[in-house]
Amino acid sequence: EGSEIFESMLIRALVYQGQYDRALDMIESSLAKPSSLDPATVLFYPPFDQLHDHPRFREVMMPYARAEQIDAATAWVAEQ
C-alpha cells in the first residue's frame, strides 16, 4: 500500500511540474492494475483535471470509462 501512495504522489508531482506525458504513462499503468488510483479520481479531481485537454487523455481513459462519461466529467470539471 505504501508504494501505491508513493505512486499517486509521484503522478501528482509530474502533473504539477507539467510533465503530462509521463503522468499519463503512470496513470495508464496504475489503472491497469489494482491500485489506489481509480478512474473517478483521474476524471474529477485536481490536479488530474489539468490533463483533460491533453491529446492522449481520452485514449488512456477509454478502457476504464465510456466516452460519454469522459465527456460529462470533463464538462462538469470545466464548469466548476
Side-chain angles (χ1 to χ4, degrees):
E1 182 172 303
S3 63
E4 291 175 2
I5 293 169
F6 175 76
E7 187 175 74
S8 180
M9 290 172 51
L10 180 57
I11 294 168
R12 290 174 187 275
L14 289 170
V15 173
Y16 284 129
Q17 293 170 6
Q19 296 186 38
Y20 300 149
D21 287 314
R22 287 186 62 202
L24 283 166
D25 289 343
M26 287 195 72
I27 288 169
E28 192 169 35
S29 172
S30 292
L31 290 174
K33 64 184 189 299
S35 74
S36 59
L37 189 64
D38 62 53
T41 300
V42 178
L43 287 171
F44 289 101
Y45 295 103
F48 301 108
D49 57 336
Q50 296 176 41
L51 300 171
H52 287 181
D53 292 331
H54 191 283
R56 283 187 49 226
F57 182 75
R58 290 180 70 80
E59 172 190 327
V60 168
M61 293 306 299
M62 285 301 288
Y64 310 100
R66 294 188 319 273
E68 313 84 63
Q69 292 172 314
I70 297 169
D71 292 341
T74 55
W76 184 85
V77 169
E79 289 174 10
Q80 299 309 308

